[in-house]
Amino acid sequence: MTPSPITLMTGRIAPLSGTETPSGIIKTCVDRPLKLGPNGFESDEQADLRVHGGPEKAVHHYPHEHYAPWRSELGTLPALEAPGGFGENISTEGLTETTVAVGDIFRLGSAVVQVSQGRQPCWKLNRRFDVPDMARRVQDTGRTGWYYRVLQPGTVAPGDRLELTDRVAPDWTLHRLWHALYVDRMNLSELEGIAALDVLADGWRKYAVRRLANRRVEDWSPRLDGKA
């Protein structure tokens, strides 16, 4: 894996388009080095810390090569004009969900980060793109992006490269996890593997544990559609 130099982005909390709901989803490029700590980059903000940010979602990475198919499917939208449309902190070419696995460890600048989980899209993407089912589209396509936890704080600058240093669970690509959780949803063998995958964020492992116990798939509509 030889990714392109990173585009680095952060954002402040602001009302989500058409609502009074605060959100940090709009990210813009920065042109200076930033400190990266256990909860993310300095100057980056998340509004709802129950479901965004925190140690297991410290850094959001979204592949820039996904932008072309989105433009092909949705047309020219403001949020697709430049990296940052999906609320990502890092944009590259050369890394996607099919090649990156949970547990992969990268050096980035003087920091060290580890892939912790894929992204679960939420209804705020519907507002961000002004596409009523955008969150569902992201989930259904598997073009979700992913998160890192920070193993070693440091400083990261625009143009730094992600350097792969170790693979803890190379068989468990993010695409495989996505397929098990959202496509082949009651494959018990895959769910047992996910439940035992220690390097995966606890929140994702719990989905597998609950499905194994209850033999049913959870309701996604509150997350995807914003329904109570």
Side-chain angles (χ1 to χ4, degrees), residues 43-156:
S43 78
D44 194 42
E45 296 180 345
Q46 297 83 32
D48 188 350
L49 296 178
R50 296 173 303 146
V51 292
H52 297 292
E56 294 295 83
K57 301 178 183 178
V59 179
H60 179 217
H61 186 156
Y62 197 79
H64 189 252
E65 46 264 66
H66 289 343
Y67 276 69
W70 284 124
R71 284 193 292 266
S72 177
E73 294 166 16
L74 300 174
T76 302
L77 298 176
L80 293 174
E81 291 177 356
F86 291 83
E88 65 265 38
N89 300 116
I90 291 175
S91 175
T92 64
E93 293 188 357
L95 295 174
T96 68
E97 294 83 358
T98 60
T99 57
V100 173
V102 65
D104 282 357
I105 297 174
F106 294 88
R107 181 168 293 280
L108 180 60
S110 62
V112 177
V113 297
Q114 182 177 44
V115 178
S116 57
Q117 64 180 76
R119 180 192 184 158
Q120 288 187 305
C122 79
W123 64 271
K124 291 182 180 179
L125 285 171
N126 304 340
R127 294 286 190 173
R128 172 78 171 112
F129 285 85
D130 197 23
V131 175
D133 63 344
M134 188 64 187
R136 287 186 178 273
R137 288 172 182 255
V138 170
Q139 179 167 293
D140 290 347
T141 60
R143 300 194 295 256
T144 60
W146 58 89
Y147 289 102
Y148 299 99
R149 60 174 68 95
V150 178
L151 300 183
Q152 175 182 301
T155 300
V156 179

Side-chain angles (χ1 to χ4, degrees), residues 18-31:
T19 76
E20 296 182 357
T21 303
S23 174
I25 196 171
I26 297 178
K27 308 294 185 186
T28 56
C29 296
V30 298
D31 58 4

